[in-house]
């Protein structure tokens, strides 16, 4: 990540930052969906797409659904961070973050496959990738904050002060 994040020292502020970053990730994912819908409207009359009756949003639906499900799982798993006495489920959070990343990678792959299949001048990958990259950026923030929360909790358990 190119920017250095200011990492809070207490769990309440850390939890709030994580939830904010997850919210930004969801907003960016909403932008991906919006871009897909606009793309569909623009190119639904294309001969190859019309013949196959396959819109870009439908083609990428599996990947988008995977990301949405993984984000909801991540949101649920990060709720524990609000409880200062709870043990932080580092492995579960890491798996949840990895699942979101996997879904975003699938969206990228499906977009490229769609472009290869239909050969439309304006590539769906180029249309959705900037918003997908924003998702990845915010997910990186979630990951960094989560790692920091785990480090702070570990230090507190050991009686150290971060």
């Amino acid at each position: 990540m190119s920017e250095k994040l200011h990492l809070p020292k207490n769990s309440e502020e850390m939890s709030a930052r994580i939830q904010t970053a997850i919210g930004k990730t969801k907003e960016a994912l909403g932008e991906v969906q919006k871009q897909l819908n606009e793309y569909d409207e623009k190119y639904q009359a294309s001969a190859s797409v019309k013949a196959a009756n396959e819109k870009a949003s439908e083609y990428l639906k599996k990947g988008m659904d995977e990301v949405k499900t993984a984000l909801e799982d991540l949101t649920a798993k990060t709720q524990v961070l609000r409880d200062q006495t709870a043990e932080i489920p580092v492995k579960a959070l890491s798996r949840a973050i990895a699942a979101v990343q996997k879904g975003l990678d699938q969206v990228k792959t499906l977009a490229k496959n769609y472009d290869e299949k239909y050969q439309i001048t304006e590539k769906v990958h180029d249309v959705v990738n900037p918003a997908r990259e924003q998702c990845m950026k915010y997910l990186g923030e979630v990951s960094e904050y989560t790692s920091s929360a785990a480090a702070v909790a570990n230090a507190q358990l050991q009686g150290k002060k971060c």
Side-chain angles (χ1 to χ4, degrees):
M1 183 172 283
S2 60
E3 298 176 24
K4 184 77 173 159
L5 295 175
H6 168 71
L7 299 173
K9 299 293 184 193
N10 69 57
S11 61
E12 288 177 27
E13 187 180 348
M14 188 70 70
S15 177
R17 294 259 180 111
I18 290 169
Q19 295 307 317
T20 298
I22 290 173
K24 288 179 182 179
T25 305
K26 288 178 179 180
E27 287 174 20
L29 186 64
E31 185 61 27
V32 172
Q33 187 65 56
K34 178 182 170 198
Q35 295 296 328
L36 278 172
N37 293 340
E38 289 174 3
Y39 185 91
D40 283 344
E41 284 181 32
K42 188 173 182 179
Y43 292 104
Q44 69 182 355
S46 168
S48 59
V49 172
K50 200 170 190 177
N53 195 26
E54 188 167 43
K55 295 179 177 181
S57 59
E58 293 167 355
Y59 196 86
L60 276 70
K61 184 178 184 340
K62 181 180 178 188
M64 292 294 290
D65 287 349
E66 186 176 316
V67 175
K68 289 173 189 171
T69 300
L71 274 173
E72 290 308 317
D73 182 50
L74 178 61
T75 301
K77 284 183 174 41
T78 59
Q79 295 301 316
V80 73
L81 298 175
R82 291 183 179 170
D83 181 1
Q84 295 179 4
T85 62
E87 185 176 329
I88 295 178
V90 176
K91 288 182 182 178
L93 289 169
S94 294
R95 283 191 301 269
I97 290 168
V100 177
Q101 289 172 328
K102 180 182 172 201
L104 289 169
D105 288 343
Q106 183 178 19
V107 167
K108 179 179 180 178
T109 299
L110 288 170
K112 286 182 176 183
N113 292 346
Y114 186 88
D115 291 338
E116 289 173 16
K117 185 174 183 177
Y118 293 110
Q119 298 294 314
I120 297 173
T121 307
E122 186 177 17
K123 304 296 183 200
V124 72
H125 173 266
D126 296 341
V127 171
V128 300
N129 201 51
R132 190 194 72 81
E133 288 293 324
Q134 282 296 104
C135 287
M136 294 295 283
K137 174 189 169 199
Y138 295 129
L139 189 61
E141 288 181 16
V142 172
S143 180
E144 192 167 334
Y145 287 138
T146 302
S147 295
S148 181
V152 168
N154 187 41
Q156 289 172 345
L157 285 174
Q158 294 177 7
K160 298 177 184 174
K161 192 156 186 135
C162 282

